[in-house]
Each structure stands twice: as structure tokens, then as C-alpha cells.
Amino acid sequence: MEKAKLKYILDDLDHYTKSYHVFAKKSSKFTGLVKWVEDVFPKLVLDKLVESFSAETQINVLGVGSGSGEMDSKMAASIKTRFKSVRNVVVEPGEKQLEKYRSLVESKKSEFEGIEFDLRQLGIDEYRALEGNHSSKYHFINAIQSLYYADDFNDTIRYLYDCLEEGGILLITIISDISGSWRLWNHFPRLQDIIGPYFCVQHLRQGLSSHDIPFHDIPFDENHQRAHVDITSCFEKGSKEGKLLVDFISQIVDFHGSASPEFYKEVVDYIGSEECSERKEDGTILYNNDWDAVVAQKPISK
Ligand SMILES: C[S@@+](CC[C@H](N)C(=O)[O-])C[C@H]1O[C@@H](n2cnc3c(N)ncnc32)[C@H](O)[C@@H]1O
């Protein structure tokens, strides 16, 4: 029996943000993403925008679940190098995430010259409801590791595509089908009973195809990104960091305190098993956090 009812981490956004930032730190996530924006983004997205729109265009960007903005703001800055100006609307429900995003923008004013950030504390479903039948159009929309949290995954894909200008680009990144998290949720359907259905790149591809949305056949090495998280502290007794990592990976608030000791052990053992992680000779345990990027460009009608 559980000690308390297991609570989905999204029902406590402050806890989500706290555990997410520990997870990001242990994965060098932001450094990896920033490198991706420097190395892959220009070819995957920027060059295509340049082909479709004149340099005088104000590029309207929508960021969905942009978190504290480390990757989003880099993408906006990259776009600004080729266009006159950029307006970046951000839809992010986490108050603490937006506080960090604001500080980032404030601290790098010169880097973001010519870019207007419009940060809105909303989930994508609230945004949709507010926009009604006349949704704004965007030249570039990104959902970086956030589409899982939309009320209706498949319909949100269609909605975001509909919000594109002709020639506009939708970039979605999502966990790969060989990632530890995807394996974990498949292995423990009980977790999905609490957090709802979860999704990986296969569902994204199926979703795009089900709406007849053409997406790019990106070479595997550009589309698929190797990533790992050092989860060694999850196995250190009493480690606060380890507990937060387990909370983010299981997507349950205080999993240690609220799950039965048997279920906790079963889940944590699985997280550290070779299904999800690699054990190094020095004892470090690296959780597989591979992700994929998929890009869809709306054709320009003749
Ligand atoms: C895994 S984080 C990714 C953050 C950021 N895109 C990044 O890569 O660093 C997921 C983000 O989605 C946000 N989120 C949660 N529910 C959401 C919703 N309904 N609509 C949009 N974003 C949501 C969370 O607050 C969180 O900031």
C-alpha cells in the first residue's frame, strides 16, 4: 500500500521546476541544447526560414513550455542574426520558470537587442482557449520537451501546425523511443495511471502523419540526440538531490515519501538497471535521456 496518494508532479509546478532544474544540471542539458542550437538549428530551421521570408520580416515566434528560456532565447537570437526583428511569445505555466526567463533576458540585454519577449503564464490549452477561433499566426513555433503536458497531444500537434504562416516551421523535440523514461513508463503502467498517457517520438511521427502534415526526413545523427543524466545520487541514502531526480524521472511529487517502500525500490532499481542506464567503472550511473527533433514546414500555396 502507498503511504499517501501518489501526486502528479505537474500538480505542483514549483516542485516540478525545482526537480527539473536538478535534472537539467545533472544532464548538462542546457549546454547540450545550446550546442544543438549552434550546430544543428541553423540548417534545420534558420536556413529554411531565410528561404521563405525576406530579411525585413519581423519573425513571430511561439514558444510552448519554454521553461526558463535557455534554449528558446538562443533560438530567437539565432533567428535575429538573419532577420530585422523577432517577436517571441512564450506560453509557460510555471511562475518560477518565467521568473528565471525574465532574469535571463534582463541579464543579456545586448544579446537580445531587436527581440521582443512576450512571456505569458499559461498552459497551451489556456492559450488556445484565449485565442479562440482566430489564433495568431507564427513563422516559427517550438515545443521543446513540453508537448507531453498538453491536454490532447495529437490535437495540439494539429493546432500548432494550423498556427503557422505558410512557409513557417514547427519544431518539436521529444524523448526518443530508446530513452530511459520511455522504457520506465512502459514498464510501469501504474505510473501512467497517475500521470496520464506519455509520449515519445513514435507518437509524434504518427500524430503528424495522422494529420497529413509533411515532416522532414532528417538524417538520424541530426535528428537523434544522445543525452544522459548522472543519477548516481538516486542511490545514495538520504541524498536530497537524488530524491529530486527520482521525482522528476517518475513525475511523482516526493516519490520516496509517498510510494510504498516496495514500489519505490522496484522503480528506482529499474531506473538504474541496464534497460535505462549505463554503469561506469567508477560507479557513476548514467540515465539514458536521448531525444529526437522533428521539423515540419508548412508549404507555401502557389
Ligand atoms: C521538460 S520542461 C522543458 C522546458 C524547456 N522547453 C527546456 O527545454 O528547457 C517542460 C516545460 O513545460 C511546461 N509545461 C507544463 N505544462 C504545460 C502546458 N500545459 N503547456 C505548456 N507548457 C507546459 C513546464 O512548466 C516546463 O517548463
Side-chain angles (χ1 to χ4, degrees):
M1 282 292 285
E2 309 305 341
K3 291 183 221 156
K5 197 171 175 310
L6 300 181
K7 183 173 167 188
Y8 183 24
I9 200 162
L10 264 201
D11 293 334
D12 183 344
L13 270 174
D14 285 354
H15 190 73
Y16 179 96
T17 301
K18 195 166 151 194
S19 59
Y20 171 64
H21 280 276
V22 173
F23 185 83
K25 193 175 107 212
K26 296 308 284 186
S27 59
S28 314
K29 175 180 162 151
F30 297 137
T31 346
L33 288 182
V34 165
K35 194 164 168 3
W36 189 86
V37 175
E38 282 164 5
D39 297 347
V40 183
F41 179 79
K43 204 160 90 189
L44 217 55
V45 176
L46 188 56
D47 289 353
K48 294 188 175 73
L49 290 175
V50 169
E51 275 167 32
S52 303
F53 306 106
S54 92
E56 291 304 301
T57 313
Q58 171 182 275
I59 296 294
N60 291 318
V61 178
L62 175 66
V64 179
S66 306
S68 39
E70 286 80 357
M71 183 165 178
D72 259 54
S73 61
K74 278 273 166 203
M75 291 191 284
S78 171
I79 294 171
K80 174 65 183 60
T81 61
R82 308 287 291 275
F83 291 93
K84 194 171 176 203
S85 60
V86 174
R87 180 159 191 275
N88 196 346
V89 173
V90 167
V91 174
E92 163 57 59
E95 188 183 356
K96 296 236 155 47
Q97 294 280 48
L98 287 178
E99 276 169 20
K100 286 178 195 279
Y101 203 140
R102 259 181 223 108
S103 313
L104 178 75
V105 172
E106 272 300 304
S107 67
K108 295 190 175 169
K109 275 199 174 128
S110 58
E111 204 176 298
F112 298 133
E113 225 170 73
I115 307 173
E116 182 195 341
F117 290 97
D118 176 355
L119 308 185
R120 304 183 189 175
Q121 194 186 340
L122 294 171
I124 185 62
D125 298 289
E126 293 165 279
Y127 171 82
R128 279 180 76 161
L130 286 170
E131 287 275 297
N133 291 330
H134 302 285
S135 281
S136 312
K137 294 282 186 212
Y138 296 91
H139 302 95
F140 174 51
I141 299 178
N142 63 72
I144 309 299
Q145 306 291 355
S146 59
L147 212 62
Y148 321 99
Y149 304 124
D151 282 352
D152 184 331
F153 179 83
N154 211 18
D155 193 53
T156 306
I157 296 173
R158 184 202 52 74
Y159 173 75
L160 294 179
Y161 186 75
D162 285 350
C163 291
L164 286 177
E165 298 276 7
E166 289 187 2
I169 292 183
L170 173 62
L171 165 69
I172 298 175
T173 78
I174 190 161
I175 51 167
S176 88
D177 44 11
I178 56 164
S179 67
S181 293
W182 181 242
R183 290 190 172 156
L184 176 74
W185 292 316
N186 265 334
H187 192 77
F188 293 103
R190 231 177 112 189
L191 286 177
Q192 292 207 42
D193 290 345
I194 299 155
I195 66 180
Y198 238 76
F199 304 94
C200 71
V201 68
Q202 277 174 14
H203 303 94
L204 176 57
R205 293 208 164 99
Q206 282 160 10
L208 290 162
S209 301
S210 73
H211 301 304
D212 290 327
I213 298 174
F215 54 93
H216 293 281
D217 197 8
I218 307 160
F220 185 77
D221 57 341
E222 285 177 8
N223 151 45
H224 184 84
Q225 300 300 310
R226 303 297 311 271
H228 57 252
V229 189
D230 182 347
I231 57 161
T232 317
S233 58
C234 296
F235 301 88
E236 290 162 4
K237 215 167 169 233
S239 163
K240 278 193 187 147
E241 175 191 277
K243 282 185 187 158
L244 287 171
L245 283 172
V246 171
D247 285 4
F248 189 76
I249 293 171
S250 65
Q251 299 271 286
I252 302 288
V253 178
D254 187 21
F255 191 57
H256 181 263
S258 50
S260 67
E262 300 76 32
F263 188 45
Y264 180 82
K265 185 172 181 327
E266 225 186 310
V267 169
V268 172
D269 283 351
Y270 189 75
I271 289 172
S273 75
E274 61 182 19
E275 287 297 308
C276 304
S277 296
E278 185 190 340
R279 279 174 192 256
K280 296 287 189 194
E281 274 175 19
D282 66 359
T284 308
I285 305 170
L286 298 177
Y287 183 71
N288 180 319
N289 192 37
D290 286 9
W291 53 276
D292 290 271
V294 174
V295 164
Q297 183 168 27
K298 196 180 232 179
I300 299 177
S301 49
K302 304 233 162 79

